[in-house]
Amino acid sequence: MKQETTFLTSGNTFLNQTILALMLFISTVSFSQVAPVLFPDGGFNIDGNLDSDGSTGDWLGTRSNSFVFDIYPAFPLGDALRASPVTAVSTFRVIDAYDGNDDIFQGGGKYTDDPSTWKVNPNAKSGGKGDINNVLLHVGQDDTGDQWVIVASDRLVTTGTSYIDFEFLQKPLTYNNSTTGFITQGQDGGRTLGDILISVSYTNGGSLATVRYYEWEVDATSALGFNYIENTTPQPTRFGASNIGTVPTNIGAYGVNQYTANQFVEAAINISAFFETGDPCDGLTIGTILVKTKSSDADTAALDDVVAPIPVRLNLGTAEIDYADADFCSPSASVNLLGVEGGTFSASPSGLAINSSTGEIDVDSSSPGTYTVTYSFTTGTCPKSVTTTVVIPDTSPVPTTIDENFCKNTGVKNYNVTATPGYTLNYYASNDPIASPLTTVPTVNTDSESVGLYIVYVSQSKAGSCESERVPVSIQIASALVVTESITNVACFEESNGAIDLTVSGGSGTYVFEWKDSSNAVIAATEDLSGLEAGTYTVTITSDSDCSFTETYTITEPVAVTV
């Protein structure tokens, strides 16, 4: 399909109520009304205009917090990147190709047909009355806690009668490019019992907009055995408006920067009020939204333009909660709530520190273990609850490390780290929390690296356990030992006044001396020797850096004179 979508569903709480909100009938009015949502500031102005004024908010604007789409004027007019949702979890825009050989339905398809029988002609042109360019949606909440949905759409040609609908399906519906058709997982005539459809028709020469609500139900009179049946139950607070004259739009509309009269329509609905009119215990989970048009509001009219199926996760009158497993190795974990908000959270057994209002878990204050988190809420007068299981894992112990000192030019050295049995070591070049583990076990080449201190950080982990704290481990490269000596030979024959005096530098830490005589017996552990007889003496010097030095010295005496 040749359209682009600005649409985010992760963490969406308000958007999940969209479908129930659209159960309404709207007659176009020539004066503005305001949906009293907290964002944008001043509420949302339903006046057929896209720009906010000095006191109320709208789709677009320049006053801080007065609009739901950011605008980037540097992009070419009509570019999909010109508008970005200010609050992505509650606002989306669908952009469809227009006035060209874009994908449209092949002739003859009806909106109540099994979707798997629809075919699309990728090289045909849509009729002007049914040619979509923009579909907009924003949801918000007022200061009483009621939720509102604001929707808008457009059409290329404004004369005569035209029709657009929003179909909300519980099962996935996808577009198959290889067969120019659709694949549906719905088992009830291609849909699922309870699927809903919201239609907006333009009658009376295009000046009047009417919105109706349908449910997919069993229908023995239909060839499929199912059909969309209109729901005419009295509806909650709602109002809408179409643009009376030409209005500007900085997000682009059919290649220009304005809408002509009756080309743009918007509406607002208090969706919370719906729970007072329907069965408060009903609930649906929607997986796909499909937007399509036809050139007449008659049930038998053929389908025209189509926006590719939009995959979503919308909970209507119910809720889902879960947590990201990775968050349980962080100080806290936030809940992902899809559906009815405003409920309370609890957990069992005891030991989990959870905020009853927000569902946030204080991991640092929680005990390791398996818990059931329950979210309790009410739709209308019906109390409901949903649960999820969370596991607070143990934290891995830190590995055992020993800092090492090595002499220059003693080869490649490994860091001295010992893993706890069953755990895997992870090495890092820094202690930065966002640093990624090294892909190989680090070493230090004392032959090529300079004298100095080399530090890495190491942790350990295993499946089902959080990674341990990172601890530093180091290798110190010291310069080689440098020894100078001063030798004093025996002054007279068979005397014991010889001496060896050494001066040592390099290495690190304390020097250890070991002296041996010619019989290889250890005779001293001091730096200097004195009172020596003539003979050979060997010294071995070591330091904390594993540097060593070995040398043999000879003490001589004068030759005896025979008289």
Side-chain angles (χ1 to χ4, degrees), residues 31-46:
F31 55 88
S32 66
Q33 298 183 69
V34 177
V37 292
L38 299 176
F39 176 76
D41 285 353
F44 206 111
N45 203 4
I46 305 301

Side-chain angles (χ1 to χ4, degrees), residues 397-402 415-420 425 427 458 460 471-473:
V398 297
T400 301
T401 62
I402 299 176
Y415 287 94
N416 194 334
V417 181
T418 303
T420 303
L425 295 176
Y427 289 91
V458 62
Q460 62 184 6
V471 292
V473 60

Side-chain angles (χ1 to χ4, degrees), residues 255-322:
V256 295
N257 61 351
Q258 64 183 24
Y259 284 116
T260 59
N262 296 322
Q263 198 174 19
F264 176 80
V265 64
E266 60 182 348
I269 311 97
N270 181 334
I271 61 175
S272 295
F274 170 78
F275 295 112
E276 299 175 3
T277 64
D279 183 347
C281 292
D282 281 346
L284 294 175
T285 298
I286 301 303
T288 304
I289 296 177
L290 184 68
V291 182
K292 54 192 183 296
T293 67
K294 54 185 180 177
S295 59
S296 167
D297 64 350
D299 287 347
T300 57
L303 294 172
D304 189 5
D305 200 5
V306 59
V307 176
I310 305 167
V312 296
R313 186 68 176 179
L314 308 179
N315 290 302
L316 313 175
T318 185
E320 294 178 43
I321 58 171
D322 63 23

Side-chain angles (χ1 to χ4, degrees), residues 166-491:
F166 301 80
E167 192 164 4
F168 299 86
L169 307 172
Q170 297 168 74
K171 299 293 185 180
L173 176 71
T174 55
Y175 181 64
N176 189 335
N177 287 287
S178 63
T179 62
T180 62
F182 293 84
I183 301 173
T184 178
Q185 295 186 24
Q187 300 298 309
D188 305 322
R191 296 179 176 84
T192 303
L193 284 173
D195 286 350
I196 57 181
L197 179 143
I198 309 300
S199 70
V200 182
S201 58
Y202 297 83
T203 57
N204 192 27
S207 62
L208 182 66
T210 301
V211 178
R212 292 185 173 89
Y213 163 73
Y214 299 82
E215 295 181 7
W216 191 249
E217 299 177 4
V218 173
D219 181 3
T221 66
S222 169
L224 288 175
F226 305 91
N227 207 349
Y228 271 124
I229 307 299
E230 183 177 1
N231 186 323
T232 58
T233 302
Q235 307 300 329
T237 303
R238 77 280 183 191
F239 41 84
S242 182
N243 62 312
I244 298 174
T246 299
V247 297
T249 171
N250 286 331
I251 62 175
Y254 301 103
V256 295
N257 61 351
Q258 64 183 24
Y259 284 116
T260 59
N262 296 322
Q263 198 174 19
F264 176 80
V265 64
E266 60 182 348
I269 311 97
N270 181 334
I271 61 175
S272 295
F274 170 78
F275 295 112
E276 299 175 3
T277 64
D279 183 347
C281 292
D282 281 346
L284 294 175
T285 298
I286 301 303
T288 304
I289 296 177
L290 184 68
V291 182
K292 54 192 183 296
T293 67
K294 54 185 180 177
S295 59
S296 167
D297 64 350
D299 287 347
T300 57
L303 294 172
D304 189 5
D305 200 5
V306 59
V307 176
I310 305 167
V312 296
R313 186 68 176 179
L314 308 179
N315 290 302
L316 313 175
T318 185
E320 294 178 43
I321 58 171
D322 63 23
Y323 295 82
D325 288 342
D327 289 347
F328 294 124
C329 289
S330 302
S332 63
S334 298
V335 67
N336 298 315
L337 169 62
L338 296 176
V340 179
E341 62 176 12
T344 58
F345 296 85
S346 59
S348 63
S350 61
L352 189 72
I354 187 169
N355 186 304
S356 61
S357 298
T358 66
E360 183 176 30
I361 295 173
D362 183 345
V363 178
D364 286 345
S365 300
S366 298
S367 300
T370 301
Y371 301 90
T372 298
V373 174
T374 300
Y375 175 62
S376 302
F377 58 98
T378 300
T379 58
T381 59
C382 183
K384 299 181 181 181
S385 65
V386 293
T387 63
T388 190
T389 299
V390 301
V391 177
I392 305 298
D394 290 312
T395 299
S396 303
V398 297
T400 301
T401 62
I402 299 176
D403 293 332
E404 299 271 32
N405 295 302
F406 295 106
C407 196
K408 178 70 176 169
N409 299 321
T410 55
V412 175
K413 301 297 183 181
N414 296 315
Y415 287 94
N416 194 334
V417 181
T418 303
T420 303
Y423 290 83
T424 300
L425 295 176
N426 312 293
Y427 289 91
Y428 298 85
S430 75
N431 202 25
D432 188 330
I434 66 173
S436 298
L438 299 175
T439 57
T440 58
V441 176
T443 60
V444 176
N445 190 334
T446 64
D447 297 340
S448 58
E449 298 292 351
S450 302
V451 170
L453 184 65
Y454 295 83
I455 300 175
V456 296
Y457 294 84
V458 62
S459 68
Q460 62 184 6
S461 59
K462 70 175 181 179
S465 177
C466 294
E467 184 178 7
S468 74
E469 176 188 358
R470 298 178 198 173
V471 292
V473 60
S474 66
I475 290 178
Q476 173 78 51
I477 300 179
S479 58
L481 296 182
V482 178
V483 179
T484 60
E485 64 277 341
S486 175
I487 299 174
T488 302
N489 291 315
V490 175

